[in-house]
Amino acid sequence: MNRLTEAVKHLLIVNVLFFIATSLYGDMMYEWFSLWFPKNENFQFWQVFTHMFMHGGIAHIGFNMFALWMFGGPVEQYLGKNKFLFIYFSAGLGAALFQVGYYYFNYLPMYTELVNSGLTGDQIVQMLTSNQTIQGLNQTQLYNLQEVFPIYNASMVGASGCIMGILAAFGLMNPNAELMLIFLPIPIKAKYFIPGIILLDVISAVTGQSFFSPSNTAYMAHVGGAVIGFIVMWYWKKNSFNKNRWN
């Protein structure tokens, strides 16, 4: 059994408290603490951090907290509390950066095309906010509005990006550890399993085809968390972090 380490314990508690508050206050919690697309009026700077503690349902938080306990404990024991927290929150920030960057990559060309077609910024925002179009739009304008609407109104919740960073760190620690999916009980070495999961997330982000996750998953957040977790852990291993352990 994994030992419940100090930082993991406190992260579990904070996530559960946020989930209880969300169960009690619902939409208000999602409006304030989810990470909204920066162009949306609901966006606030603190959401870059608070979205890491928000979850969309019992299955969402249950899976993430199980993964945090399973992989977070060994990583914290290996790194120490402070370095573990650094990699955890760095991965969460990386997840936000990758996902928001991916949103902008898709949003900006279509928004620019809408403006070039003669629509004003205020008209576009009004239609994206109300989900009601003005009269006289052509098919290209309607198509672009339909494509940017879910991006403009997108919100992100969950500790998955943080968990993916911890998972990547775990994989660098134990490349030959055998892991498996709950619904595919075939043991696969971490050095193959983790890159495989990341590749599936990239494919899902690009194609919209979900393999194991709900269709509204922020796939690029998973990728961002894993990439940052890998880079940080790789740097520390390369530079022998145990000689300069943060206690």
Side-chain angles (χ1 to χ4, degrees):
M1 287 289 289
N2 287 344
R3 182 171 68 88
L4 185 59
T5 52
E6 182 180 358
V8 169
K9 178 179 69 175
H10 289 124
L11 288 170
L12 289 170
I13 291 171
V14 175
N15 275 278
V16 170
L17 290 176
F18 262 81
F19 185 72
I20 292 172
T22 302
S23 300
L24 293 174
Y25 298 107
D27 290 344
M28 183 180 70
M29 289 289 293
Y30 285 115
E31 181 178 329
W32 286 358
F33 300 123
S34 303
L35 177 57
W36 292 85
F37 183 58
K39 293 291 186 181
N40 193 294
E41 63 180 6
N42 288 329
F43 174 78
Q44 302 292 340
F45 69 90
W46 60 75
Q47 296 167 356
V48 175
F49 298 95
T50 57
H51 83 278
M52 303 178 200
F53 300 104
M54 296 287 293
H55 289 86
I58 189 69
H60 191 198
I61 188 173
F63 181 82
N64 277 346
M65 295 304 98
F66 174 76
L68 174 59
W69 166 76
M70 174 162 286
F71 299 106
V75 173
E76 184 181 349
Q77 287 179 297
Y78 187 71
L79 291 177
K81 179 183 69 174
N82 291 333
K83 281 201 169 186
F84 169 79
L85 288 174
F86 180 86
I87 204 169
Y88 182 90
F89 286 111
S90 294
L93 292 174
L97 179 63
F98 269 60
Q99 187 63 40
V100 171
Y102 186 68
Y103 281 150
Y104 269 109
F105 176 78
N106 290 283
Y107 176 89
L108 288 176
M110 289 179 286
Y111 179 86
T112 300
E113 190 171 339
L114 286 168
V115 171
N116 291 338
S117 72
L119 294 173
T120 67
D122 288 341
Q123 286 176 317
I124 296 170
V125 169
Q126 180 182 354
M127 288 185 285
L128 294 177
T129 303
S130 65
N131 196 24
Q132 294 180 344
T133 58
I134 60 178
Q135 292 183 345
L137 298 181
N138 59 45
Q139 288 300 314
T140 301
Q141 290 172 322
L142 289 171
Y143 171 80
N144 285 329
L145 283 168
Q146 185 179 16
E147 291 296 305
V148 299
F149 178 83
I151 299 174
Y152 181 85
N153 291 285
S155 63
M156 187 170 80
V157 297
S160 301
C162 306
I163 302 300
M164 287 297 293
I166 296 302
L167 185 61
F170 179 88
L172 277 173
M173 285 168 40
N174 305 286
N176 293 313
E178 293 188 335
L179 308 174
M180 54 186 167
L181 297 170
I182 295 174
F183 35 81
L184 186 63
I186 301 174
I188 304 171
K189 288 184 178 180
K191 61 185 176 182
Y192 306 124
F193 180 91
I194 297 169
I197 291 295
I198 297 170
L199 177 61
L200 290 178
D201 278 322
V202 172
I203 294 172
S204 294
V206 173
T207 66
Q209 175 64 48
S210 178
F211 294 96
F212 306 117
S213 306
S215 58
N216 63 344
T217 299
Y219 299 108
M220 290 306 294
H222 291 184
V223 176
V227 167
I228 297 302
F230 176 87
I231 291 173
V232 174
M233 189 65 182
W234 174 83
Y235 177 82
W236 284 341
K237 285 197 70 174
K238 182 181 178 182
N239 290 277
S240 302
F241 67 84
N242 277 324
K243 295 179 182 179
N244 301 286
R245 189 181 181 91
W246 299 352
N247 296 317

